């Protein structure tokens, strides 16, 4: 400003008036002092402002730190919250799964209950069916008991009431024959002969029928039976027949099994005696064997006899069925029917394998029982 | 009774309803060596009347042997046997049961009622004849019987 004033003093107006000049300089100096004071004020003010600003900045920084701390804390909290939330979610998820499983279990249980109900109904039906069968069985048992009684009654009738008149017929025809043979004519002798033969045959048939009917009635004991001893007994019983026919009877080792000994003896005796009886001209050769097949023993009685044609193989087991003329092979035709009955009473089967003229093999099976001792 | 015969014929009571068996028994006894008189009644009541000399049998002889069938009309042979063996006098007369039955209960019952022997009638003529002859030989010739006392 002085420079301007000085410049103004020197150049513009040429020669300068001194008093005005001095006042002008004083004015200028005043102005400049004022200006300087104002400048100092302004400077102070600026310094104050700057001071204030520094304080503000410091406070701001504090606030900022505090906020940052808070933010940091908030972040921590958030993370924890998230963890918790995740945990809760997991729990919820697990719970949902549990619920689903529970529902499934419940469904399964309902199914089971339904099944149980169905099963119960089935059981009830089965029970009703079983009761019906049992009632049926009881009826059949009663029926069987009745038929057994009938059979026993029949056996008694056959043994006593039928034999009584037959005994009279045979006794008096025989007495007639004895007293008057040769005293009447030849025809009379022939007629008496027929009557005597027929009465004797009828007597045998009644006895055989009785033996057949008695099989299956009354008490029947089953025990351990040694088949080797049974066969030995059979050979003793048939000694005369074996000698008479010069028969050869052999056997393999035979088992011990559970059976009725009397019946088994009769069975083997009938088969061996048939094997000898239905012989060819050559002396009979008979072989008895037994083999274990599954849960049963299979016996075989093999002979060298006349054999049986295939068409007759079933017929031979029927009571009083005969294949051969009476004058060549005696007997009523009961033997194999009795064999069949005995085998069936033991729960087995009987059959024959044979060729006409090539001998026969009679097979029968006896199921092995648990209580059999060997 | 003719002179020279040492013994009167042996009196036998046959209780039998079958005329055929009566005749066969008579035939068999005829062939036997003991001379006997066969008295025949056809039912159990008549048998006891005969033994007790009742009614038509007032003058009936006391038999030395009784042949008794079991299955009889009116009164069964078992009842007749029981009554005979309960009677103090009649019980001494030997009773032979001669029947077609060979059933064990019948045999047992007869011996329980004190029968002297039990014989099953054989089916064959020859055997029947020989059985009757055996009875004849044993009971009328071999065995010593108690003295005859009229009841």
């Amino acid at each position: 400003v002085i420079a301007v004033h000085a410049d103004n003093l020197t150049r513009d107006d040429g020669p300068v008036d001194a008093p005005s000049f001095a006042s002008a300089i004083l004015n200028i100096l005043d102005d400049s002092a004022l200006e300087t004071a104002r400048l100092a004020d302004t400077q102070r003010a600026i310094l104050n402002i700057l001071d204030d600003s520094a304080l503000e900045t410091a406070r701001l920084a504090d606030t900022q730190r505090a906020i940052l701390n808070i933010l940091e804390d908030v972040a921590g909290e958030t993370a924890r919250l998230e963890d918790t939330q995740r945990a809760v979610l997991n729990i919820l998820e697990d719970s949902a799964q549990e619920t689903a499983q529970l529902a499934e279990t419940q469904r399964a249980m309902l199914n089971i209950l339904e099944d149980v109900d169905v099963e119960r109904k089935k059981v009830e039906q089965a029970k009703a069916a079983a009761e019906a069968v049992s009632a049926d069985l009881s009826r059949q048992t009663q029926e069987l008991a009745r038929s057994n009684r009938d059979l026993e009654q029949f056996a008694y009738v056959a043994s006593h009431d039928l034999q009584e008149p037959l005994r009279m017929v045979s006794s008096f025809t025989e007495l007639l024959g004895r007293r008057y043979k040769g005293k009447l004519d030849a025809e009379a002798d022939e007629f008496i002969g027929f009557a005597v033969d027929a009465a004797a045959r009828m007597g045998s048939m009644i006895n055989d029928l009785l033996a057949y009917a008695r099989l299956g009635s009354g008490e029947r004991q089953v025990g351990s039976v040694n088949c080797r001893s049974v066969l030995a007994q059979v050979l003793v019983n048939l000694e005369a027949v074996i000698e008479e026919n010069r028969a050869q009877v052999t056997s393999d080792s035979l088992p011990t099994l559970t059976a009725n000994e009397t019946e088994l003896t009769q069975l083997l005796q009938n088969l061996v005696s048939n094997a000898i009886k239905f012989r060819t001209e050559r002396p009979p050769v008979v072989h008895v064997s037994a083999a274990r097949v599954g849960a049963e023993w299979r016996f075989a009685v093999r002979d060298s006899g006349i054999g049986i044609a295939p068409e007759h193989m079933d017929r031979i087991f029927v009571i009083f069925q005969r294949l051969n003329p009476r004058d060549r092979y005696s007997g009523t035709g009961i033997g194999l029917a009795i064999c069949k009955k005995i085998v069936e009473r033991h729960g087995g089967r009987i059959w024959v394998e044979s060729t006409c003229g090539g001998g026969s093999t009679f097979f029968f099976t006896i199921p092995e029982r648990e209580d059999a001792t060997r | 009774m003719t002179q020279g015969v040492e013994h009167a014929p042996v009196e036998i009571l046959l209780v039998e309803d079958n005329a055929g068996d009566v005749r066969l028994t008579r035939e068999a006894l005829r062939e036997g060596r003991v001379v006997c008189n066969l008295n025949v009644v056809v039912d159990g009541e008549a048998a006891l009347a005969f033994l007790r000399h009742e009614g038509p049998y007032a003058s009936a002889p006391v038999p030395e042997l009784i042949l008794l069938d079991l299955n009889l009309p009116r009164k069964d042979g078992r009842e007749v046997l029981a009554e005979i063996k309960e009677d103090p006098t009649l019980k001494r007369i030997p009773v032979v049961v001669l029947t077609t039955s060979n059933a064990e209960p019948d045999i047992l019952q007869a011996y329980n009622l004190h029968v002297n022997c039990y014989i099953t009638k054989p089916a064959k003529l020859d055997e029947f004849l020989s059985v009757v002859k055996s009875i004849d030989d044993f009971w009328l010739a071999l065995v010593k019987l108690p003295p005859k006392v009229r009841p």
Side-chain angles (χ1 to χ4, degrees), chain A residues 160 164 167-168 178-179, chain B residues 18 21 27 100 121 126:
Chain A
H160 186 264
E164 191 61 43
R167 200 166 53 81
M168 290 298 108
R178 190 186 291 192
R179 292 259 171 95
Chain B
N18 183 341
D21 273 326
E27 291 296 328
T100 43
K121 286 175 190 167
D126 282 341

Side-chain angles (χ1 to χ4, degrees), chain A residues 213-245:
Chain A
R214 272 182 187 150
L215 262 180
S217 69
E219 292 278 311
R220 177 172 175 269
Q221 285 187 345
V222 166
S224 180
V225 179
N226 181 341
C227 294
R228 197 215 292 260
S229 328
V230 166
L231 185 64
Q233 183 59 51
V234 166
L235 297 186
V236 168
N237 296 349
L238 296 176
E239 202 175 359
V241 180
I242 291 170
E243 260 177 45
E244 189 188 317
N245 287 279

Side-chain angles (χ1 to χ4, degrees), chain A residues 112 130 153 160 193 204 236 287 298-299 308 314 326 357 365:
Chain A
I112 288 167
Q153 181 62 32
H160 186 264
S204 311
V236 168
H287 185 74
R298 195 187 66 196
F299 286 76
I308 301 155
D314 287 331
R326 201 169 278 122
T365 61

